[in-house]
Amino acid sequence: MALIVKKFGGSSVANNERLFNVARIIEKDYKKGNDVIVVVSAQGDTTDDLIAQAYSVNPNGPSKREMDMLISAGEQMSISLLAMAIETLGLPVVSLLGWQAGFVTDSHYSIARIKRIESERLRAELAKKNIVIVAGFQGLNKYDDITTFGRGGSDTSAVAIAAELKADLCQIYTDVDGVYTADPRIVKNAKKLDEITHDEMLELATLGAQVLNNRSVEMAKKHGVELEVLSSLTPDVKGTIVKEVVSMEKTIIRGVAKDSNVSRISIVGLADQPGIAFKVFNRLAQAKVNVDIILQSVGRDGTKDITFTVTKDQCDAAIESIKALSDSLKYKHVVHDESVCKISIVGTGMETHPGVAAKMFEALYDADINIQTISTSEIKISVLVDIKDAERALNAVHDKFIH
Amino acid sequence: MALIVKKFGGSSVANNERLFNVARIIEKDYKKGNDVIVVVSAQGDTTDDLIAQAYSVNPNGPSKREMDMLISAGEQMSISLLAMAIETLGLPVVSLLGWQAGFVTDSHYSIARIKRIESERLRAELAKKNIVIVAGFQGLNKYDDITTFGRGGSDTSAVAIAAELKADLCQIYTDVDGVYTADPRIVKNAKKLDEITHDEMLELATLGAQVLNNRSVEMAKKHGVELEVLSSLTPDVKGTIVKEVVSMEKTIIRGVAKDSNVSRISIVGLADQPGIAFKVFNRLAQAKVNVDIILQSVGRDGTKDITFTVTKDQCDAAIESIKALSDSLKYKHVVHDESVCKISIVGTGMETHPGVAAKMFEALYDADINIQTISTSEIKISVLVDIKDAERALNAVHDKFIH
C-alpha cells in the first residue's frame, strides 16, 4: 500500500467524458489498496473565461483580491464534479478546497507562495479511507482570504502535498505522455525520456518545454519528491520520471529546446570604465527585468558592447532603464532585435564530457546556420539564432545528439 | 448614519448591466454615510445550471455534501463580480463568502439551518468603511464543510445579518416593487400594500405569493427585523414594509392568494371509533407528510369521512400511508382529487370583524362558484374550489374586499 498524489490539468477534466476517464484512473489505484489524493485544476477554459468576465466588468483590471475570489470558484466546481463522478463508481470520496486541505499562503494575491500545509484534515480523510480531491492553485492567507498561485499552480499544489505527506509517488497527468528530448510537434525524431533529473527538468521548463511548472519542479527538488509525468489519455503508458539522480544512459544530452520569447538588446560603444556592467544590471534588477543570456565583448577603440536577452514583454522596460542611465553611462546607442530564437541543449554532466559544445556548433555549421550569441552553464548550452532558422536548428542539434 | 442590509436576487445581478445597476443603488446609500452590507444570490440561472451539470454527471443524484460544494461556487462568482463593479465606482469594497461572513450552520446539507453568525469579520470590515458583499445561501458546518440553505436562502442570510448586527433596515430587492393584495398577473385590480405584518406575510408566502422566503420572514418576526420589499429596477419607488405592528388601515384584508399545488384526499366511510383521527394523522406525520386543511364530517350510518389536503408531490405518500393502516383502520375507500385550488384571504384582526367569512362566501356565490371545503384560522380563511374556477374566484374575492 502506498500514498499516491495525482494531479490532473484542466483539459483532463474538461467535460463529463474526461471526468469519468479520470475517475477510472483513480479507481484503479484506489482498488489496489493505495491511499489516493487527487489535485485538480479548473475545467477546460473556465479560468480564462472567468478572467475575461472580470475584465468585462472592469476593463482597467479588477483588484487581485477579488480576482482570486472569482477564479478560485473554477476549481471548486471541478473538484465537486469529479467527486460526483467517483461517487457513481461506488467509492468513498470527499472534495476539499485549498483552505480545507490546509494550504496557508502569503498575501501576494494571484502569485501567492505556499507557507505551509496544515495537513490534519487531509490525514483524517485518508484515515477514513476516502479518496481526497483537492482544489489546486489556491490557498488562504492570514486574513482568511482566498489566494491563488498563478499559472501552473496546481502542479505546485500537488508537489506540496506529496512533500508534506511524504507520498510514495506524485503523478502529473498532462496531455502528453512524458518529457521528450525535444518538442515532438517540431522534431520528428524526438524521443520520450524514461528519466530526467530535477535540474535538467528545470532548464527544460525554463526553455519552454511547457510540460511542468517551474515552481513545482523547484519544490520537488528541494523536498526530494519524485515526479512522474504522464498522459491522462494513455494512463497505462509509463511516463517520464523526474528525480534527483538518474541512472546512467548512453546519451548525456537529455533534451533540446527552443524558446522564441526572446529579445536581444545590445548597448553599443560603452566607454570602457570599471563598474559599467554593475550599473547596467543593477538598474535592470531595480526595474524587475529578468535578464537571461549576458555577453560582454572584448574592447575595441576603448569601448565595448554589452549584449543581453530578456523576454519580449520586458524589452521596452529594459530599453527605458538603459536610457534612464544616460547621465552616468556613456555609450553610442542601444539596439534591439526581436527576430531571434534561443536553442538550448540540456544534460547533467555535460561539463565532464568535452566536445559537447563543439558537437552542437558542428551541427549548426553543417546546417549552414549562423550563431549570434553563445552562453553556457554546467548543464546547458544555449545559442541565439535567427528566428527563421529556429526549427531547422532545433532538428539539426537534436539529431546530432539523439539517435 | 444607519446600517442597511440589502439583498439582491439572481435576476437583479444576472448580467453586467444589472450588476452596475445594483452597484449604483449601493453607491447612493453608501455616499449618504451609511454602513452597507449587501447579500447576493448567484447570477441568473447559475444555480439551476450547476444542478443540471451535477445530474448530468450523476443522474441518480449526487451526494448533498458535494452538491453544496458545487452550487456554492455560484455566489462566490456573483459576489466578486459585484465587488469588481463597485471598485469601478471608486468605492472601498470587499466580498465575503458565507463562512468568511461567519455563518455557522448545522450539517443538513442543502437545507442547512443557521446556528449563529460569528460577526467579528463583518464588524471589522464595516469599521474599515468597506462596503461588504456577502454570499447568500451558504455557510459552514462544524466539520468545516460548506452547506447551503435551500431555495430562497439568500433572504434568510440577509435577515440573519440584519438581526445579528441590529441593522436599521433590511431591504429585499426582487423583480416586483412590493407585496400586492393579489398576484397582479391574475388580478388586474391588485393594489400594492404600504405595510403588512410578519404574520400576514407568512400566510401569504405559504399561500404562494412567492415574494419572500418563509424562513426569512419567520426569522425577521422572531428577531423584530423590519423588512422592505422593493424592486431593483425601480429602486426609488417605495416598496412594502413588513413589520410587527402596522398602522390601522381601512381594509382589514391584506391580501388574497391562490394556491394550485393542492391535492384533496378523502377517507370515506370510517368506522366511528375513538382515536381514528389520531391514527390517521400520526401515521401521516411519521411519513413526513405535511397536512394543510383538515375536515371531519359528522357521522352518518355509524361512519364518518375525513378529508384533508396535501401538496401534490405528497399525495402518493399520503395515500400509501392510509392504505398501510388498513389492518387497524376500518373504512370503505380512499379517494383523491387533484383538480382543486385553494383561495385564501389573509388579514390580522379578521376574527374581531364579524362577517368577513360571510362576505367571502357571498362573493363566491355571486360568481356562481361552488365551495368544496372551508378552513379558517385567526388571520386566514381558505376555501377549496374547482381548479377551473380558480382565477374567477380569486378576482371575485379580491374585488369584494379591496377597492
Side-chain angles (χ1 to χ4, degrees):
Chain A
M1 201 204 79
L3 169 58
I4 304 175
V5 176
K6 294 168 169 292
K7 179 261 171 178
F8 295 92
S11 66
S12 296
V13 293
N15 53 43
N16 285 3
E17 189 193 333
R18 293 285 183 92
L19 279 174
F20 279 101
N21 174 54
V22 168
R24 280 184 295 264
I25 294 173
I26 295 165
E27 178 184 34
K28 203 175 239 183
D29 276 332
Y30 181 80
K31 286 201 167 165
K32 284 179 189 157
N34 298 302
D35 286 337
V36 183
I37 297 178
V38 182
V39 175
V40 192
S41 304
Q43 289 188 292
D45 299 324
T46 306
T47 307
D48 287 337
D49 292 347
L50 289 172
I51 291 172
Q53 205 179 348
Y55 275 88
S56 80
V57 170
N58 185 352
N60 295 323
S63 72
K64 287 179 174 165
R65 193 255 179 209
E66 295 301 334
M67 188 63 110
D68 280 3
M69 176 71 98
L70 178 68
I71 62 178
S72 59
E75 291 80 35
Q76 184 164 344
M77 295 186 279
S78 62
I79 56 169
S80 44
L81 290 168
L82 179 57
M84 290 173 189
I86 293 172
E87 283 174 357
T88 67
L89 304 178
L91 301 177
V93 62
V94 65
S95 69
L96 297 179
L97 296 165
W99 67 267
Q100 291 173 319
F103 279 85
V104 179
T105 76
D106 64 21
S107 289
H108 291 96
Y109 295 106
S110 86
I111 51 163
R113 295 255 158 188
I114 300 165
K115 296 176 83 164
R116 62 183 180 280
I117 298 180
E118 294 173 350
S119 57
E120 296 77 11
R121 177 82 190 256
L122 281 174
R123 292 176 199 274
E125 298 294 349
L126 290 179
K128 284 188 246 172
K129 282 288 152 202
N130 277 329
I131 295 168
V132 188
I133 313 293
V134 177
F137 177 70
Q138 57 176 249
L140 205 66
N141 66 17
K142 64 181 174 185
Y143 306 111
D144 272 358
D145 283 338
I146 292 175
T147 54
T148 70
F149 305 165
R151 290 282 157 181
S154 293
D155 289 358
T156 310
S157 301
V159 174
I161 290 175
E164 169 68 25
L165 298 184
K166 306 199 189 318
D168 299 282
L169 187 56
C170 181
Q171 296 178 302
I172 310 287
Y173 290 82
T174 69
D175 42 13
V176 294
D177 61 358
V179 180
Y180 278 72
T181 53
D183 185 340
R185 288 168 301 186
I186 302 173
V187 178
K188 75 173 198 314
N189 297 327
K191 288 185 172 56
K192 191 169 76 180
L193 295 166
D194 292 332
E195 296 180 330
I196 185 170
T197 68
H198 293 116
D199 283 333
E200 290 167 338
M201 192 66 233
L202 276 173
E203 292 287 3
L204 284 171
T206 313
L207 300 173
Q210 291 173 333
V211 177
L212 277 177
N213 172 261
N214 242 13
R215 270 170 68 190
S216 65
V217 181
E218 279 167 16
M219 190 183 283
K221 175 179 156 67
K222 187 172 162 191
H223 296 280
V225 174
E226 198 169 303
L227 304 175
E228 183 180 3
V229 177
L230 68 176
S231 166
S232 62
L233 299 177
T234 55
D236 297 329
V237 175
K238 209 179 158 328
T240 299
I241 300 284
V242 185
K243 58 187 197 179
E244 203 44 43
V245 179
V246 307
S247 51
M248 275 309 227
E249 292 184 36
K250 273 180 212 154
T251 171
I252 52 156
I253 299 305
R254 205 67 68 187
V256 183
K258 163 174 100 70
D259 183 4
S260 321
N261 185 14
V262 180
S263 286
R264 190 189 54 182
I265 298 173
S266 296
I267 313 174
V268 179
L270 274 161
D272 196 358
Q273 296 162 336
I276 52 169
F278 167 74
K279 275 187 194 166
V280 168
F281 294 106
N282 185 49
R283 179 77 195 194
L284 289 169
Q286 282 170 0
K288 308 276 183 212
V289 172
N290 285 318
V291 173
D292 185 20
I293 297 176
I294 297 174
L295 199 87
Q296 184 171 309
S297 72
V298 292
R300 191 177 56 188
D301 310 333
T303 68
K304 58 173 70 170
D305 305 340
I306 289 182
T307 297
F308 59 91
T309 62
V310 297
T311 56
K312 284 196 161 59
D313 60 319
Q314 294 200 305
C315 184
D316 288 348
I319 291 173
E320 272 170 39
S321 297
I322 303 300
K323 292 190 172 164
L325 278 178
S326 56
D327 281 352
S328 61
L329 199 73
K330 290 195 171 61
Y331 61 86
K332 288 198 185 118
H333 50 268
V334 178
V335 295
H336 69 105
D337 186 355
E338 309 238 327
S339 65
V340 293
C341 182
K342 185 168 64 173
I343 304 290
S344 307
I345 57 175
V346 173
T348 308
M350 189 183 276
E351 78 281 14
T352 62
H353 285 69
V356 171
K359 198 169 168 185
M360 181 183 190
F361 304 152
E362 183 187 17
L364 294 168
Y365 175 73
D366 287 346
D368 202 22
I369 293 165
N370 192 35
I371 300 171
Q372 302 183 352
T373 307
I374 299 168
S375 159
T376 63
S377 79
E378 287 193 357
I379 67 165
K380 181 180 74 166
I381 302 174
S382 298
V383 299
L384 284 190
V385 300
D386 195 293
I387 189 96
K388 72 171 166 35
D389 297 324
E391 299 203 357
R392 276 200 312 122
L394 190 69
N395 273 283
V397 173
H398 180 272
D399 293 353
K400 187 82 176 181
F401 286 99
I402 295 154
H403 312 284
Chain B
M1 203 203 79
L3 169 59
I4 304 175
V5 176
K6 293 168 168 292
K7 180 261 169 178
F8 295 93
S11 65
S12 295
V13 292
N15 53 42
N16 285 2
E17 189 193 333
R18 292 286 182 92
L19 278 174
F20 279 100
N21 174 54
V22 167
R24 280 184 295 266
I25 294 173
I26 294 165
E27 178 184 34
K28 204 177 238 182
D29 276 332
Y30 181 80
K31 287 201 167 165
K32 285 179 187 156
N34 297 303
D35 286 337
V36 183
I37 296 177
V38 183
V39 175
V40 192
S41 303
Q43 289 187 292
D45 299 325
T46 306
T47 306
D48 288 337
D49 292 346
L50 288 172
I51 291 171
Q53 205 179 346
Y55 275 88
S56 80
V57 170
N58 185 352
N60 296 324
S63 72
K64 287 177 174 169
R65 192 253 180 211
E66 295 301 334
M67 189 63 111
D68 280 3
M69 176 70 98
L70 178 68
I71 61 179
S72 59
E75 290 81 33
Q76 183 164 345
M77 295 186 278
S78 63
I79 56 169
S80 44
L81 290 168
L82 179 56
M84 290 172 189
I86 292 172
E87 284 175 356
T88 68
L89 304 177
L91 301 177
V93 62
V94 64
S95 69
L96 297 180
L97 296 165
W99 67 267
Q100 291 174 318
F103 279 85
V104 179
T105 75
D106 64 20
S107 289
H108 291 97
Y109 295 105
S110 85
I111 51 163
R113 295 256 159 189
I114 300 165
K115 296 177 83 163
R116 63 183 181 281
I117 298 180
E118 295 174 348
S119 57
E120 295 78 11
R121 177 84 190 256
L122 282 173
R123 291 177 200 273
E125 298 294 348
L126 290 179
K128 285 189 246 173
K129 282 289 154 201
N130 277 330
I131 295 168
V132 188
I133 313 293
V134 177
F137 177 70
Q138 57 177 248
L140 205 67
N141 68 15
K142 64 180 174 186
Y143 306 112
D144 272 359
D145 283 338
I146 293 174
T147 54
T148 69
F149 305 165
R151 290 280 158 183
S154 293
D155 289 359
T156 310
S157 300
V159 173
I161 290 175
E164 170 68 25
L165 298 184
K166 304 197 189 321
D168 299 281
L169 186 57
C170 181
Q171 295 178 303
I172 310 287
Y173 289 83
T174 70
D175 43 12
V176 294
D177 61 357
V179 181
Y180 278 71
T181 53
D183 186 338
R185 289 168 300 184
I186 302 173
V187 178
K188 76 174 196 314
N189 297 326
K191 288 183 173 57
K192 191 169 76 182
L193 296 165
D194 292 333
E195 296 181 331
I196 186 170
T197 68
H198 292 118
D199 282 334
E200 291 167 337
M201 192 66 232
L202 276 172
E203 291 288 2
L204 285 171
T206 313
L207 299 173
Q210 291 172 335
V211 176
L212 276 178
N213 171 260
N214 242 13
R215 271 170 67 191
S216 65
V217 180
E218 278 167 16
M219 189 183 284
K221 176 177 155 69
K222 188 172 163 193
H223 296 280
V225 174
E226 197 169 303
L227 303 175
E228 182 180 4
V229 177
L230 67 175
S231 166
S232 61
L233 299 177
T234 55
D236 298 328
V237 175
K238 211 181 158 323
T240 299
I241 301 284
V242 185
K243 57 187 196 180
E244 203 43 44
V245 179
V246 307
S247 51
M248 275 307 230
E249 292 183 37
K250 273 180 210 154
T251 171
I252 52 156
I253 300 304
R254 204 68 67 189
V256 183
K258 163 174 99 70
D259 184 4
S260 322
N261 185 14
V262 180
S263 287
R264 191 190 52 184
I265 298 172
S266 295
I267 312 172
V268 180
L270 275 161
D272 197 359
Q273 297 162 335
I276 51 168
F278 165 74
K279 274 187 194 163
V280 168
F281 294 106
N282 184 49
R283 179 78 194 192
L284 290 169
Q286 283 168 0
K288 308 275 184 212
V289 171
N290 284 317
V291 174
D292 184 19
I293 298 176
I294 297 174
L295 199 86
Q296 183 172 308
S297 73
V298 292
R300 191 178 56 190
D301 310 333
T303 68
K304 56 173 68 169
D305 306 339
I306 288 182
T307 297
F308 58 91
T309 62
V310 297
T311 56
K312 285 197 158 63
D313 59 319
Q314 294 201 304
C315 184
D316 289 347
I319 290 173
E320 273 171 39
S321 297
I322 303 301
K323 291 192 172 163
L325 278 178
S326 56
D327 281 353
S328 61
L329 197 74
K330 292 198 168 58
Y331 61 86
K332 287 200 185 118
H333 50 269
V334 178
V335 294
H336 70 103
D337 186 356
E338 309 238 329
S339 66
V340 293
C341 182
K342 185 168 63 171
I343 305 289
S344 308
I345 57 175
V346 172
T348 309
M350 188 183 276
E351 78 281 15
T352 62
H353 286 69
V356 171
K359 198 168 167 185
M360 181 182 188
F361 304 152
E362 183 188 17
L364 292 167
Y365 174 71
D366 287 346
D368 202 22
I369 293 165
N370 192 36
I371 299 171
Q372 301 184 354
T373 307
I374 299 168
S375 159
T376 63
S377 79
E378 287 194 357
I379 67 165
K380 181 179 74 168
I381 302 172
S382 299
V383 299
L384 283 190
V385 300
D386 195 293
I387 190 93
K388 73 171 164 39
D389 297 324
E391 298 202 357
R392 278 198 312 122
L394 189 69
N395 273 282
V397 172
H398 180 272
D399 293 353
K400 189 80 175 181
F401 286 99
I402 295 155
H403 312 284

